[in-house]
Amino acid sequence: MERSDIFRAGAMIVVFVIFLAALHVIHRRPAERPVSDAPSVSAPDDLSAELLRCAELGPQDAEDPHCQAVWKENRARFFGRPARPRLPQAAPATQPMTAVPKGGKP
């Protein structure tokens, strides 16, 4: 056997071992997670409850103004805008220093 044949056989063995290792990783079962009695972190909010109520209404009730407002609020929340309008921000307590001092020179 020549030296190149030995390297070729060694490379084929290495590729075969890598293939087997990949198969092992793919078919490995994930570790079981302990079941906790704690409630779910994501509790449904009022908007979700209203969306469910409006979704249960039939097509004849699609013109309900309350449901249209709920769907509009849901779209706003989906696209990243605040779902409900924020309260107006209070004006800063200090005024900016833009006045020119008494003397006429800045």
Side-chain angles (χ1 to χ4, degrees):
M1 248 193 198
E2 291 184 25
R3 193 174 200 179
S4 63
D5 291 336
I6 295 173
F7 287 135
R8 187 175 296 147
M12 291 171 72
I13 291 172
V14 168
V15 169
F16 184 69
V17 168
I18 292 173
F19 178 73
L20 288 179
L23 283 177
H24 175 71
V25 169
I26 290 172
H27 292 290
R28 183 175 42 183
R29 294 181 186 212
E32 292 185 23
R33 296 180 183 170
V35 178
S36 66
D37 293 334
S40 174
V41 174
S42 61
D45 57 353
D46 294 336
L47 184 63
S48 298
E50 288 296 317
L51 286 170
L52 287 173
R53 187 188 70 77
C54 290
E56 291 174 355
L57 296 176
Q60 68 276 10
D61 294 325
E63 301 300 320
D64 182 26
H66 176 69
C67 286
Q68 287 179 349
V70 168
W71 288 111
K72 182 179 179 182
E73 188 173 340
N74 185 49
R75 282 191 299 273
R77 184 171 66 173
F78 176 79
F79 287 114
R81 296 185 298 256
R84 298 200 168 120
R86 295 183 183 182
L87 296 175
Q89 297 283 334
T94 61
Q95 295 181 355
M97 300 292 290
T98 58
V100 177
K102 292 183 181 180
K105 294 184 182 178

